[in-house]
Amino acid sequence: MSIAFPILLACRWRVLLAVGLLAPAVSLGCPNASPRGTGDLGLVVERAAGRLQLVETTGSSVLGSIEGLGDLSHASLVYSRDARYAFVFGRDGGVTKVDLLCRRIERRVVQAGNSIGGAISQDGRLVAVANYAPGGVKVFDSDTLELLADIPAEYEPGKRAKVVGLEDTSDGRFAFSLFEAGEIWLADLSEPRAPRVTRFRDIGSQPYDALVTPDGRWYVAGLFGEDGLALLDLWNPERGVQRILGGYGRGQEALPVYKMPHLEGWAMAGRHAYLPAIGRHEVLVVDTDTWREVARIPVAGQPVFVMARPDGRQIWVNFALPHNHLVQVIDTQTHVIAKTLNPGKAVLHLEFTPRGEAVWISARDDDRVVIYDTSSLEQRATLAAEKPSGIFFTARAFRIGL
């Protein structure tokens, strides 16, 4: 070997170290934390304890926990675009920024008396929170949690509505619904301190939840006060709100509603949407090209979450009381129930791993999370958790409307 080669190699080594490409260690800003990716991480809400479990889906294990998040009885969360931070929305009005790698609370603010969820903007810079009391939306800087905008949901002088169905959309906008007012508002936050709001009135009675389709085009609000849904074309909002599926329960006596279904858990598989029928033991199938009903699938109880495996091959459904111990799997090619599962008492939520080879199911009253293989439909593992509810994997960071 010539003398020039080791000298050249040593010089390259020093250059790589200088620019940080071959650094012996990476500082995360927290002691005793080893560098790792976040793509297989997730959080399980332990609602009664005000605590989060940090989990990983590669080995199906619990890595640790984060305490002190307040009232998590109806908690949901979103992730930063690098999937390192979670923004947790508590029922007590708290917004908590959690560092997954350091396993700690980064910042926390209590911004209202009663909150019902939130969203993160397309560019990841803004976090918006939907509030019941006082009714409205507050928008925060995702880095500092500084309040940037306060949008009161005042639909008549002195009257504020509960805000539901808050979703992120494209171009710096958020869409949300006003329960008492029967309205949809589209808020342009391209200038966060000066939001511009477009109101769509008379969209239907008591919108209770909403979703944005995966392509970001359609905002769909479910109506609790009447049959049907309200549809807003986000690419062409000037066309106004269209009513779809009106009267799908006409001529039938609806059953008492024991738990409000979640539209954010709608299943989209190919050109079809699968959604819960309120107060009925059915899943509706809708053609998203025409937004017309094309089929109904009888199921074991009143659906709560109707969720698609990432490839769209299966639909998984959980139910309200008294069938909340069951989960049914629907084959999307045949619309036949492939299997009825019994994961445990009080199933509250389901979450697929990013590529859909497994699904995690929370069984609150059995204090466990049950993991199923989605090919064999057999149980793969169980994890202990204290009164688990929502399960949220970091793959959500890269999907609109989640």
Side-chain angles (χ1 to χ4, degrees):
M1 179 186 295
S2 69
I3 296 175
F5 181 75
I7 293 174
L8 180 60
L9 188 62
C11 290
R12 287 180 176 173
W13 181 272
R14 291 189 187 97
V15 170
L16 288 171
L17 282 172
V19 298
L21 297 179
L22 207 61
V26 177
S27 173
L28 298 176
C30 45
N32 305 320
S34 301
R36 62 155 296 155
T38 57
D40 67 343
L41 296 183
L43 292 167
V44 177
V45 175
E46 293 184 298
R47 54 189 289 162
R51 181 172 60 224
L52 301 173
Q53 274 195 358
L54 178 66
V55 298
E56 55 84 26
T57 60
T58 301
S60 300
S61 70
V62 177
L63 299 179
S65 61
I66 300 104
E67 310 261 358
L69 284 95
D71 183 356
L72 299 182
S73 58
H74 197 283
S76 63
L77 60 89
V78 296
Y79 287 101
S80 60
R81 61 189 297 131
D82 62 1
R84 174 170 179 173
Y85 299 100
F87 299 90
V88 185
F89 310 105
R91 199 57 185 262
D92 57 1
V95 181
T96 309
K97 183 177 182 179
V98 172
D99 187 329
L100 274 64
L101 295 181
C102 294
R103 305 178 194 176
R104 70 187 183 196
I105 291 175
E106 189 79 9
R107 289 180 176 83
R108 175 173 165 80
V109 296
V110 177
Q111 52 81 47
N114 190 342
S115 300
I116 197 64
I120 190 165
S121 61
Q122 186 179 33
D123 62 8
R125 296 182 179 182
L126 305 175
V127 172
V129 190
N131 291 322
Y132 272 7
V137 171
K138 289 186 178 179
V139 182
F140 299 86
D141 181 285
S142 63
D143 184 34
T144 63
L145 292 189
E146 176 193 0
L147 179 64
L148 300 177
D150 186 353
I151 306 173
E154 187 173 19
Y155 60 99
E156 292 180 5
K159 292 184 178 181
R160 291 173 69 158
K162 293 188 284 290
V163 169
V164 298
L166 173 63
E167 303 288 345
D168 56 289
T169 74
S170 59
D171 302 321
R173 299 177 300 173
F174 294 92
F176 51 94
S177 298
L178 279 64
F179 182 79
E180 291 85 355
E183 297 185 7
I184 293 172
W185 290 12
L186 186 60
D188 183 344
L189 272 298
S190 52
E191 296 182 18
R193 295 186 185 275
R196 298 189 298 263
V197 176
T198 303
R199 296 175 61 175
F200 300 89
R201 296 177 170 87
D202 301 319
I203 61 99
S205 177
Q206 297 178 330
Y208 70 91
D209 198 10
L211 65 85
V212 169
T213 54
D215 61 4
R217 177 166 186 178
W218 304 100
Y219 178 86
V220 187
L223 302 175
F224 186 70
E226 59 186 275
D227 289 341
L229 302 106
L231 180 73
L232 175 64
D233 184 347
L234 295 169
W235 294 1
N236 303 284
E238 69 280 358
R239 296 177 181 174
V241 173
Q242 174 187 350
R243 296 289 296 281
I244 60 173
L245 301 179
Y248 67 76
R250 188 172 296 149
Q252 303 175 34
E253 184 179 354
L255 299 170
V257 178
Y258 296 109
K259 183 173 175 61
M260 298 287 274
H262 286 263
L263 264 70
E264 203 169 78
W266 256 27
M268 305 291 289
R271 63 185 287 179
H272 289 149
Y274 298 77
L275 59 147
I278 300 175
R280 306 192 182 284
H281 294 185
E282 293 174 329
V283 169
L284 305 184
V285 186
V286 176
D287 186 327
T288 58
D289 285 346
T290 63
W291 291 103
R292 295 182 182 275
E293 179 187 330
V294 295
R296 299 188 186 198
I297 304 171
V299 290
Q302 294 182 18
V304 177
F305 282 101
V306 178
M307 303 184 72
R309 198 171 73 174
D311 64 355
R313 184 67 180 82
Q314 298 169 343
I315 305 297
W316 290 58
V317 187
N318 76 316
F319 304 99
L321 281 166
H323 304 97
N324 62 345
H325 58 294
L326 299 177
V327 170
Q328 289 190 310
V329 185
I330 299 171
D331 184 311
T332 56
Q333 288 187 310
T334 64
H335 290 172
V336 169
I337 304 296
K339 192 168 185 178
T340 299
L341 306 171
N342 189 343
K345 299 175 184 176
V347 170
L348 294 187
H349 197 221
L350 309 89
E351 181 86 336
F352 290 94
T353 52
R355 296 199 178 192
E357 78 284 353
V359 62
W360 291 41
I361 301 175
S362 61
R364 182 194 62 198
D365 292 353
D366 280 336
D367 293 310
R368 66 183 184 183
V369 172
V370 186
I371 304 168
Y372 283 91
D373 184 294
T374 58
S375 293
S376 67
L377 304 183
E378 298 296 325
Q379 185 174 311
R380 178 185 287 186
T382 61
L383 300 174
E386 184 178 348
K387 299 294 178 284
S389 54
I391 303 171
F392 304 90
F393 295 146
T394 53
R396 288 169 169 258
F398 314 110
R399 294 178 58 191
I400 197 167
L402 290 178

